[in-house]
Amino acid sequence: MDPSEIYSQVNKHYSAASHITSVKYGETVAKSFGYTEEELANIPEGANLGLSCGNPLAITSLREGETVADLGSGAGFDVFLAAARIGPNGRAIGIDMSDDMLARANKIKADKNADNVTFLKGVIADIPLDSGVADCIISNCVINLVPEQDKQLVFKEMHRVLKPGGRIAISDILAKQPLPEKLRNNIAMYVGCIAGASQLAQYQEYLKVAGFTDVLITDAHADLNVYFETNPDGTKKGDAGASTSSCCAASRTACSGTDKGASCVIPPGVSPDTNINEFVGSYKIYAVKN
């Protein structure tokens, strides 16, 4: 697929996702990927859109006064959680290419008076930060959205922006096997975080070439079907009394809208019985810049 078309479609999809209003959907997705009740209780309303595929903060070991950058920060879910950990002397920076996501994040920031939070517009293959400024870089289900031609640039940019001894803590979707052509060439599957997933060996090579060491990549064994088996009210498809108003839960097809989750990834032309877990998984990635 053409890289410019990928960027355009990803931007369009996540701009639409910035208008999601279903709080319970986001909570259910976040819990399934390891966020705690305490974390969810302490984030600003509207920051969690249910777009996670893991919890990168669980492996960051953030400390008071550190600078942390979130690549593909969306409405600021992980940024605000990080800001609480690094305290008023720290700096939490969110980077996103969607004007609509940035507008939502900045409104939440203003309402919260989060002085240690900053949101910047930019693509993660060209991070708008000076070299050697970050102690930690996090990212949550975003690097898979970068066109393959630009993925190595993302890792080189992370290495550039980190201080010596800085680390990355990433949650991302990786492919367990070569993806069938019908999945890899489907733009709906791309914006749904599936078609652009790298295989483990590719990810390891990206990190090595960029200069990272102490690399650890582990399968989180999360169920990715949660995206399209969760109704807007947070109930699961098939639960007694569960709502069936979600097009995702009812038909497992790609959909968008303000009352639905944005991560429904089974597009037309792909069997509704497809089990995404057979092809891809949620992985935790940790590495250090020496």
Side-chain angles (χ1 to χ4, degrees):
M1 287 182 280
D2 179 71
S4 61
E5 177 66 10
I6 290 173
Y7 279 122
S8 175
Q9 290 298 323
V10 167
N11 195 20
K12 179 180 178 181
H13 179 79
Y14 288 95
S15 290
S18 71
H19 301 293
I20 291 172
T21 59
S22 177
V23 174
K24 291 298 182 182
Y25 173 87
E27 288 180 352
T28 297
V29 171
K31 287 178 183 177
S32 72
F33 290 122
Y35 288 91
T36 66
E37 292 279 1
E38 181 180 4
E39 286 174 320
L40 295 177
N42 289 318
I43 61 163
E45 183 178 352
N48 175 20
L49 304 181
L51 301 174
S52 305
C53 65
N55 180 0
L57 294 168
I59 56 174
T60 55
S61 299
L62 289 177
R63 295 180 287 272
E64 182 82 19
E66 287 194 314
T67 295
V68 56
D70 181 11
L71 306 187
S73 53
F77 182 26
D78 290 322
V79 175
F80 291 114
L81 285 173
R85 298 189 186 188
I86 60 178
N89 294 322
R91 185 183 178 202
I93 307 165
I95 297 163
D96 206 280
M97 69 175 183
S98 166
D99 289 327
D100 289 331
M101 279 293 187
L102 290 168
R104 180 164 182 159
N106 277 310
K107 182 179 186 307
I108 296 170
K109 173 193 169 181
D111 292 342
K112 185 178 171 61
N113 295 317
D115 293 333
N116 63 342
V117 169
T118 303
F119 291 102
L120 301 174
K121 183 175 181 178
V123 296
I124 64 175
D126 187 14
I127 301 173
L129 291 173
D130 292 335
S131 299
V133 298
D135 297 286
C136 182
I137 291 177
I138 61 174
S139 186
N140 198 340
C141 214
V142 174
I143 296 176
N144 65 78
L145 294 170
V146 176
E148 185 174 351
Q149 298 92 322
D150 288 353
K151 277 196 171 72
Q152 185 66 70
L153 293 175
V154 175
F155 292 91
K156 288 184 176 180
E157 278 290 274
M158 287 192 287
H159 193 272
R160 177 186 66 80
V161 169
L162 281 173
K163 299 175 182 178
R167 69 271 188 204
I168 61 171
I170 297 170
S171 292
D172 204 9
I173 301 292
L174 271 64
K176 297 177 179 178
Q177 56 180 294
L179 298 179
E181 286 299 307
K182 67 179 180 181
L183 299 187
R184 184 163 288 281
N185 293 327
N186 193 307
I187 193 64
M189 293 298 278
Y190 209 106
V191 300
C193 302
I194 305 301
S198 302
Q199 293 185 63
L200 176 60
Q202 290 176 296
Y203 228 86
Q204 291 171 325
E205 184 66 13
Y206 291 141
L207 290 162
K208 178 181 177 181
V209 170
F212 285 101
T213 61
D214 300 324
V215 175
L216 179 63
I217 303 177
T218 58
D219 188 343
H221 299 291
D223 182 8
L224 297 181
N225 291 320
V226 66
Y227 295 127
F228 41 78
E229 291 179 352
T230 301
N231 291 308
D233 61 2
T235 58
K236 291 297 183 74
K237 179 184 176 183
D239 286 351
S243 164
T244 57
S245 61
S246 168
C247 66
C248 310
S251 64
R252 299 181 73 171
T253 56
C255 62
S256 61
T258 59
D259 62 339
K260 307 175 183 72
S263 298
C264 310
V265 294
I266 303 297
V270 178
S271 169
D273 296 323
T274 298
N275 179 5
I276 290 300
N277 296 308
E278 295 179 3
F279 298 101
V280 295
S282 169
Y283 284 75
K284 298 183 239 183
I285 300 98
Y286 180 89
V288 175
K289 173 182 176 178
N290 286 332

